[in-house]
Amino acid sequence: MADIEEARKAFDRYDADGDGFITAAEYKTAMAQMGDWNVTESVAEAVIASQDTDEDKLLSFDEFWGHLNKA
């Protein structure tokens, strides 16, 4: 099981505008800032979609946390 405080810090690194959701564009930008220039818009969209349980094209902290704790 992941540590919720560490998960919140990680989530906040991706949530650039602080609105409580990670968009594909925010994910792509964060990955580039961490040195991964291979994440394209379509890859970012796929990553978000794979964890987006309510299919709103946004990743909430609850969805992020749930993905981290999958058995």
Side-chain angles (χ1 to χ4, degrees), residues 54-69:
D54 63 6
E55 299 178 356
D56 62 357
K57 299 185 192 275
L58 300 170
L59 191 64
S60 69
F61 180 74
D62 288 341
E63 291 166 330
F64 182 80
W65 179 245
H67 180 76
L68 291 176
N69 286 291

Side-chain angles (χ1 to χ4, degrees), residues 14-57:
Y14 290 99
D15 181 18
D17 63 6
D19 69 352
F21 297 96
I22 300 170
T23 64
E26 286 175 321
Y27 181 81
K28 179 183 174 204
T29 299
M31 293 304 292
Q33 289 172 344
M34 290 186 273
D36 189 346
W37 298 96
N38 297 315
V39 176
T40 63
E41 190 72 25
S42 61
V43 168
E45 289 170 0
V47 170
I48 296 298
S50 73
Q51 300 176 37
D52 180 20
T53 57
D54 63 6
E55 299 178 356
D56 62 357
K57 299 185 192 275

